[in-house]
Amino acid sequence: MTTHRPAKITIAHINDTHSHFEPSSISLTLPHDVLHSELSVFASCGGFSRVSSAVQDVKRQAHLHDREFMFVHAGDCFQGTLYFSLYKGVANARLLNAIGVEAMALGNHELDMGNTVVADFMDLTNFPLLAGNWDLSQELQDKTNPLAPKSNVLAYDNESGCAKYLVKDVAGEPVAMFGLAIENMAGIANPDSDTQFLNVVEVANRTVATLRAKGINKVVVLSHLGYERDLELAKEIDGLGAIIGGHTHTMQGDFSNIGYGVTDSYGQMISGTCVVQAGCNALALGQLELDFNADGTVAKAAGINQLLLGRQFTLDASRSEHLDSNSHDAVKAYLSSQPNVRFCIKDPHIENLLNSDYRPAVRKLQTQTVADIAEPLRHVRIPDHKGGSQIAPLIVDSFVWKARKLGYAVDFGIHNAGGVRASLHKGTITSADISGRLLPFAIGLMVYQVKGRQVRAALEGAIDNAIDNGVEGTGSGSFPYTSHLRFTYRCCAEQGSRIEQLQRLHDGQWYDLEDEEVYTSVSSGYTATGKEGYGALLDYVVEPVAINCTMAEAFEAFANHQGELSAPQQLLSHFIPCECKEGVA
């Protein structure tokens, strides 16, 4: 019979860092009595150099208090900034190694470009990837770089019927950790078709049972399922000490002291399981102090999320308009007294790595002007009382323009709103703005041929998905914007007939799309392969073909060619929202 002992471990955690190696400028709204005004101040926050310093300090404090320590990442390190656009997974691997990550969950954005990019990333990491419900057993082994044989990919184990896991020795007591990834990965990312994601509850139950049978009763899950799903999982699975999560960018804690909201308290206890998450973009560090009883139950779960700040404060986001010395001292004194703020120096080792290998190319792009923005261009996903996105249609125009430049006879283009990540201010736009902020997902364009009825079904399916109209949607990001294609969506019409007046532009004239006629369209690889409501596009006549051009590259070339960008003059989508009579679908 195994004799168990209590165990104490501090787990530092980050999630959804999205290649934000550099600090971000954030606005802080302080109580009136700090500056005796309503002014907001701006601070430099986060970045990997500060994360590294904070982790080292938390580790020292843990060891001083006779606690074991571990540092983990709950997934989605890929995408987000120019660093990913330029270096893909290479920069992430080197910098995550450098800051001391000991394990990482598989996020959906890691799979935006399929299994191979993940495999290449894992060849460079010093830590394991935890994805215990990812079944790689049928992965084709003639690939250039298959994932299944890699010892540092802790996926589903078909022989045992549970997740592979790592074991952390905590003063002689084993603590196991395994990872869980989104079951509908194929619906929101691009995993290879020969790999599948299994039910998280079934895998978790079998894994906990297997661990107990092996004499391990202290278990932690590293999750990329989203905060609400983590809370549900805590109710559904017995025997978990903690779930450390990501995906929804949830910043647990009360940050009203600096002008942000409140999202529960840090460390939600649900049925004996502590659930934590630490925001996004390397702005904060979560610090979970987890004490296990001998029987594997949680004796105490404490800790905090802290924003990682520099010590200089300004009146503007560009950090050039400085506070007077008295005001600056007052801000610093106030923030120093707040438990959810940590002042951090930058780790010189991380700074040297960025300066020597990555920053020069990024800085060059940050000063490279592409075009002028003649007026503010607003981006929203679903049209509201002010209308739809003014920037998304221009981006789809760029897809059509670029595809035609490359010799493809494209009739129109379609793009999902979630692929566009920012509004644009009046002024100039740089390569960095495009690749790092507006279109940060390094996803290529694809040309494909479908019949008119598939286009109609895809548009309806995407909008149904975006607004949960008769389906369980995956988010508002699927709402479609188009180029050379216009339509009306009537929410209250019967399912299957919600798209009206579907027409394409040809030689300056609008023509109805014929259901049985074949058309050529261009979209991102994400949309073209049927994600998030666009499944009808998979019923193609000619399958999608990559045209060796990313979304950002197409838009940058288009914007440079135009020289100046203004809001579209013609509305291509007419969205009639749901104001249904009772009983109408």
Side-chain angles (χ1 to χ4, degrees), residues 88 99 104 121 137 139 144 191 199 254 268 274 293-294 308 375 398 402 432 450 474 482 484 488 550 554 569:
K88 300 301 183 287
I99 66 175
M104 181 177 137
F121 169 70
S137 63
E139 187 183 37
T144 305
N199 182 275
D254 183 353
Q268 284 292 295
C274 181
N293 292 311
L308 309 180
E375 58 186 315
S398 78
K402 184 64 176 178
V450 288
T474 54
T482 58
H484 294 70
T488 294
T550 67
Q569 298 299 304

Side-chain angles (χ1 to χ4, degrees), residues 2 8 71 91 121 124 164 305 308 339 458 461 466 485 505 509 514 553 566:
T2 303
K8 296 181 179 182
F71 177 34
F121 169 70
L124 300 173
K164 295 178 183 178
N305 275 328
L308 309 180
L485 185 71
L505 183 64
Q509 299 292 320
E514 301 295 335
E553 289 167 347
S566 301

